[in-house]
Every structure is written in structure tokens, then in C-alpha cells.
Amino acid sequence: MTAIKASTESAESLGLRTAPVGRRVGASAIDGAVMLLAVSPAGAAVVGIALRAVDSGPVALLDLSSTEVILLFVGSALAGALALGQVIAHGLRGRTAGRWMTGIRAVAIDGWRAPGFGRALLRAVVLGAAATLLPIIGPAVLLASPLWDGERRGRGLLDRVAREWAIDSRRGLDPLDKEAMRIARRAIREAPRRRVGDARPLHSGDARASLQVPTDRSSAGVVSAGAGTEWAPPAIIAPSPAHPAPASVAAPLGGIRLRFDDGTSLALVGRVLIGRAPAPEPGESVDELIALTDPSMQLSKTHALFALDGPGAIVVDRDSRNGVRVVGHDGRGELVAPRTPAPLAPGSIVELGGRRITIERTDSA
């Protein structure tokens, strides 16, 4: 694969999110429906000509009425204008009609910008060629190919040909929002942090972007790449600059400990935010920010808050995409209502996306 100039920010550090497959299918269906509507006048003419040809033979193809000629012209003109408009919109804004309605934007993978007219045209030409050579089957394979992306970023064959990535501009950062990008990049430059592992941009070909953990909080809640040491994921890092976190932190006697599914643990002291790149809300005070990797890609940026509550602990779902599930001693799991504290008994398991955290009590001596 041809090397592409590396971006200075990884997708994860900027908060970009892969567009869900369901919405991508919906966007393609909308675009197809709009095109069928545009070409319908010509389609009506073709149906009429075909019915006449059944009765009078091929001569009907040469004996077109003025109405049929007009319908053919109007349908062809509308379809051509729509196709050109879709390509231009895709190139300049990363949108088509369907993507605009479903909150999806295409961005170039070598800079998080609009794809440009050349890439959009190349994508349209490849799709058109597939439809011509293998009607129905060709476009279906191309549009379904994101399901087979080995990198788990939802990039299909058309995305790879055009060197694009379809992102969720509703739930993640929209890179064409200049103000949001300015704030994000400024936060990356200004926020002191520690890197664990080696952050790679999307177009590096490595889908397993390493864990990014801030050592200080940023008002924009953005985590960036920086110099650091190698480490084997997954890991949990407590990012307070005053006390770097070891692999396991001793819990105070009689306290609560969070035991993560990779074997590491953390004493729960105060308020702890956990997610892909957690950030407190404006005016919120927290004691720890714990960034986790999640191979299942179900973990939200700021997924949940853990806090002490008297002798026990509570968890609060911070409006996460996939929710917080608490599994009790009986093996039954219950979803936590968003923004509602849920008590945690020792021995219960909290599921955050694809990660699991066991609540333990450290008995006093």
C-alpha cells in the first residue's frame, strides 16, 4: 500500500468516531432513492417504449413520441445533475444527501479534511463501473465491504480507493467544524500528558491505536500524542501528575478497589471518570481520569463516573452510547439509568462497553 503522509493527530486523540454501519446503509439507501426519483421520468418513458415494442416489435424503438423524448431528456438531465451535485458536495463537504440526513461525513485520512473533488469523482467512477459491469451485485459488494474491514474502522473498498474515512459527525468531533478543530488542536498542544505506547494515525495501516492518557485536564477534553515509553496494552493509568499510577494501586484498609479485566486494579478514592478519553464537565471536580482501550469499540469518550458513597460505591452512566450494566451476585445484569447513581455491592461487576470492572472491598486488619 502506498505510504501516505502521516497526520500529527490520531483519530482517537481528536475524538473522531467511526460512522455506524446501520447509518451508512441508511445513507446509501437515501441516495439511491433520490437517484431513482430523479431518473423516474426517463424510466416511465422506457417502460412505455418497451410495452409498445412487445406489440409492434423493434420498430417501436425508432418511433418515439414527443412526450417520450421529453421524458427521456428530463430524466437523464435530472440524473446527471444530481450525480454531479452529489460528487461536488462529497468532495467539498464530505456529504451526500443521504450522509447529510444521517449525520455522516467523509474525510480524507491524510489530514481530516474534505476529500476533494478528485477523490469524490474517483469514488463515483468506481461505483459506476461496478454497476455497469455487474449490475446490482457490483454495487452491493462495494457498499457492503465496510462489514469486512479487518481494521474495524468501517472502511470499505470505496473508502480505500478514495483514501477516505466515514465518521460520525453527530456523536464525535466534526473535523470540518473549524472552531471545534481549533479548540481540539489547541488543547492537544497545551495539555501536558504522558503517552503509553505509540499513537498511530488512521492511515498508518495499524488499527490498534494505543491508549492515550492525559496527565492534566484540558477544558476541551482532548487527548493527544506525545513522547513516552513503550507498553503492552491494555492498561489503566491514573493521570494525576502528583502521583503517577503503577499497575496496581494499594487500596486503603476498609476501602473499595476497582479490579479491571486485565488484572490491574485501582483504589477508589474520591471521584473517578472512566472512558476512552474521559474529561470532566465544566466546573466538575474529579480525582482521577482513567482512559481505557476497548477492542469492541463500544466504550464512550466519557463513559461512567465511579465514586465513594459512605462505606460503599456508586456508578453513574455519563450518557454513554452503549450504557452501563451492573451484574450482581445472582448473575443478573441491569442497565443503569443515565445520570442516576447506582449502588455497587462488593463482588458486583460493572460492564462498560467491552470492558469489565469488578468491585472489591479491602477489609480492615
Side-chain angles (χ1 to χ4, degrees):
M1 180 178 179
T2 304
I4 305 172
K5 182 180 178 181
S7 171
T8 56
E9 301 104 357
S10 70
E12 290 76 10
S13 69
L14 284 173
L16 302 181
R17 299 179 64 169
T18 298
V21 173
R23 270 199 269 154
R24 292 195 66 174
V25 171
S28 298
I30 292 171
D31 288 335
V34 172
M35 180 58 72
L36 286 176
L37 182 63
V39 80
S40 60
V46 169
V47 170
I49 296 170
L51 292 176
R52 266 205 340 275
V54 172
D55 297 330
S56 57
V59 68
L61 300 176
L62 303 176
D63 186 20
L64 303 181
S65 68
S66 58
T67 300
E68 289 169 340
V69 171
I70 292 174
L71 288 176
L72 287 172
F73 175 79
V74 171
S76 300
L78 287 176
L82 175 62
L84 180 60
Q86 292 276 65
V87 170
I88 293 175
H90 184 105
L92 297 181
R93 300 298 299 170
R95 301 277 205 194
T96 60
R99 292 189 172 193
W100 174 74
M101 294 179 68
T102 55
I104 295 174
R105 190 186 296 279
V107 294
I109 62 174
D110 53 349
W112 314 131
R113 52 184 171 77
F117 182 77
R119 299 189 196 205
L121 180 61
L122 175 61
R123 184 187 181 98
V125 168
V126 172
L127 181 59
T132 302
L133 298 175
L134 292 172
I136 300 179
I137 297 177
V141 170
L142 290 178
L143 295 177
S145 59
L147 297 173
W148 313 318
D149 182 12
E151 296 181 355
R152 304 181 66 183
R153 284 190 170 118
R155 296 183 66 220
L157 296 176
L158 289 175
D159 299 315
R160 294 181 182 279
V161 167
R163 296 186 299 170
E164 297 176 357
W165 184 30
I167 65 164
D168 184 349
S169 59
R170 286 181 181 172
R171 297 180 177 271
L173 178 71
D174 185 349
L176 267 64
D177 184 335
K178 294 183 179 180
E179 179 65 16
M181 284 294 286
R182 183 185 66 81
I183 294 174
R185 284 176 167 148
R186 183 181 65 186
I188 289 175
R189 291 193 302 268
E190 294 177 354
R193 60 169 313 280
R194 171 179 14 181
R195 181 180 68 176
V196 183
D198 183 22
R200 298 175 177 86
L202 174 70
H203 52 273
S204 67
D206 187 347
R208 300 183 64 84
S210 300
L211 173 64
Q212 303 294 306
V213 183
T215 54
D216 198 3
R217 298 172 196 150
S218 162
S219 59
V222 178
V223 185
S224 68
T229 58
E230 292 294 327
W231 172 84
I236 298 113
I237 298 296
S240 171
H243 51 282
S248 293
V249 180
L253 295 179
I256 298 295
R257 182 192 299 274
L258 305 181
R259 176 74 62 181
F260 296 88
D261 51 13
D262 64 349
T264 57
S265 65
L266 178 74
L268 181 59
V269 179
R271 298 163 57 86
V272 177
L273 282 178
I274 296 181
R276 286 185 293 106
E281 295 176 339
E284 180 183 20
S285 175
V286 297
D287 299 284
E288 303 283 358
L289 300 174
I290 306 298
L292 301 179
T293 56
D294 182 7
S296 70
M297 301 180 70
Q298 300 179 64
L299 194 66
S300 296
K301 182 178 179 181
T302 302
H303 201 109
L305 169 73
F306 288 78
L308 293 174
D309 182 32
I314 58 171
V315 64
V316 180
D317 183 352
R318 297 296 289 267
D319 297 319
S320 63
R321 180 180 58 174
N322 293 300
V324 175
R325 187 167 177 264
V326 178
V327 181
H329 295 283
D330 56 3
R332 295 181 180 178
E334 292 187 5
L335 285 175
V336 175
R339 300 284 175 173
T340 302
L344 298 174
S348 58
I349 297 174
V350 182
E351 297 179 350
L352 309 178
R355 301 301 301 267
R356 293 163 64 91
I357 301 172
T358 302
I359 307 302
E360 299 179 348
R361 177 176 295 282
T362 303
D363 294 328
S364 57

